[in-house]
Structure formats: C-alpha cells, structure tokens
Amino acid sequence: EDQVTQSPEALRLQEGESSSLNCSYTVSGLRGLFWYRQDPGKGPEFLFTLYSAGEEKEKERLKATLTKKESFLHITAPKPEDSATYLCAVQGAGTYKYIFGTGTRLKVLA
Amino acid sequence: NAGVTQTPKFQVLKTGQSMTLQCAQDMNHNSMYWYRQDPGMGLRLIYYSASEGTTDKGEVPNGYNVSRLNKREFSLRLESAAPSQTSVYFCASTGGDFNQPQHFGDGTRLSIL
C-alpha cells in the first residue's frame, strides 16, 4: 500500500536557524514526489516536483532532495514568512491518485 | 489568473440537508479531484475524474457523489449531510496524465450541526 509519513509534525525555529523536514514514502513505481506549502485558510501551493533519486530542486531558501525512500526539504536561514504547513505527496505508477502526508507545521520566530 | 475556483467558501448545514460544492478550473486540465482535510489526517481523496466523462472513487467516497459536468467543472454533492462530514473540502486539477503537480482551490469550509 502506498504511504507517506512526514516528520516532525511541528517545528519551531528562530529566524536564521536552518533545518530540514522529512518525507518518507512507500510507493510502487514512483512517478513523482511533490512538495507543497499551505498557509492558514488557503489551499496547498505547489513548490517542487522530484522524479528520481539523486534529484535536487531549489527555490530561494528552500531545497528539496530525493532518495529511493525519502525526501528532505531543507530550509536555509528561514524568515518568519516561511511559516506555513509543508505537505509532501507521491504518485505511483499507473494511477491518477496522489497520496499525501499529514504535513509539518513550521513556525519561524523573529 | 483564476486557476481553480471553489464556491461557496463557507457553509453551515443541518444534519440531513443536502448541498453541492462547486469547482471550476480555467487551465484546460484533464484531471480533477476532491479532497477533504481534517486535523491530523492530511488530505484524503474523496473522488477524482481522470478525464471528462469519467469519475472514480478515492479513499473516502461514502456519503458523497460527484459530477464532471464538462472539462472545466467538477461538483461534489452531499445528499444527506452528517456531522462526520464537517471538514474543509479542496478541489484540485492536474494537467497531463501523470506526474504533474496539482493546482488547488482555496477550499470550502463546511460545518454540519
């Protein structure tokens, strides 16, 4: 059964304190792993897609990496505006479905 | 750029009432999805439509029905609302067949008393 587990559930950082969020997955034939950002009262907003182990993507202070079992979202020198819930999702082979993790709630303190 | 538009944004119902949640996308996407989001449980798939004219059950379809009205619109209907259906409902769409990111609306917050 396809499954996604995110850790930690919640994370509090001081401004400038770098850290990483984890997304562990089990899927039959990974087609893509997706990272989203969700602000309160809003829908998830797409950040990155990773397709194969070893791939990396960057955007401003965020960097996503992928291995065969997990993905990391590295946040370098975060700012308060990076506070949000970060969601990870996977799509397996031969399906239109996406499986989501329960997210990591990030709070960056000024 | 409108993207994915959901209506209404908020709704309060009484147990047993029915209602339809509307979703429209203007990106010419083939696939559309309905999710519910509950605290601690993440996004759970209710129904999806891989293309116009097709619909399939997701993880939690009981108590819901859907209609893919055309390529743009995908509605979710609660025939007899129950308190357990209190949730935030999100519609999403995807271009292409596989491995494309989803685009989400801003949700409908539904409370059932």
Side-chain angles (χ1 to χ4, degrees):
Chain A
E1 180 181 339
D2 297 347
Q3 195 168 8
V4 175
T5 302
Q6 292 188 246
S7 61
E9 288 187 13
L11 182 63
R12 291 167 68 93
L13 299 173
Q14 292 293 324
E15 185 172 4
E17 180 186 2
S18 301
S19 188
S20 297
L21 314 182
N22 178 263
C23 172
S24 297
Y25 65 91
T26 304
V27 67
S28 300
L30 180 70
R31 286 194 178 273
L33 184 142
F34 307 87
W35 282 98
Y36 295 86
R37 170 191 171 124
Q38 186 175 21
D39 293 300
K42 297 289 188 179
E45 177 185 353
F46 170 67
L47 292 173
F48 303 110
T49 306
L50 301 167
Y51 295 108
S52 57
E55 190 174 0
E56 299 182 351
K57 295 274 180 73
E58 284 190 70
K59 180 181 178 180
E60 295 180 357
R61 294 177 293 282
L62 300 177
K63 180 180 177 180
T65 63
L66 181 66
T67 73
K68 288 186 178 180
K69 294 183 178 181
E70 57 191 350
S71 177
F72 291 93
L73 185 64
H74 307 278
I75 303 177
T76 302
K79 298 181 177 182
E81 53 261 42
D82 294 322
S83 297
T85 296
Y86 291 86
L87 301 173
C88 171
V90 297
Q91 186 182 46
T95 178
Y96 288 91
K97 299 178 184 179
Y98 297 76
I99 307 300
F100 280 81
T102 53
T104 294
R105 295 188 311 277
L106 174 66
K107 178 72 172 176
V108 182
L109 304 172
Chain B
N1 293 335
V4 178
T5 302
Q6 293 184 237
T7 55
K9 295 188 184 305
F10 302 93
Q11 185 71 49
V12 178
L13 294 177
K14 294 181 179 179
T15 298
Q17 287 185 317
S18 63
M19 83 161 293
T20 300
L21 280 61
Q22 306 287 351
C23 174
Q25 52 91 9
D26 63 1
M27 296 171 283
N28 200 35
H29 284 172
N30 288 325
S31 302
M32 298 185 73
Y33 302 76
W34 276 106
Y35 293 91
R36 61 178 289 173
Q37 188 175 41
D38 302 291
M41 303 195 72
L43 284 161
R44 293 185 291 168
L45 182 64
I46 305 171
Y47 272 93
Y48 68 100
S49 171
S51 61
E52 187 178 357
T54 69
T55 60
D56 285 285
K57 295 179 180 179
E59 181 185 355
V60 288
N62 291 344
Y64 305 95
N65 286 300
V66 290
S67 295
R68 183 74 183 267
L69 304 172
N70 47 55
K71 191 170 185 179
R72 290 187 63 250
E73 299 172 287
F74 188 38
S75 63
L76 178 71
R77 183 162 178 82
L78 287 70
E79 291 291 352
S80 180
S84 60
Q85 294 176 306
T86 293
S87 188
V88 182
Y89 291 85
F90 288 99
C91 177
S93 69
T94 306
D97 286 333
F98 298 112
N99 68 26
Q100 298 300 308
Q102 296 188 297
H103 298 259
F104 286 84
D106 280 338
T108 294
R109 283 143 189 84
L110 183 61
S111 293
I112 299 162
L113 307 177

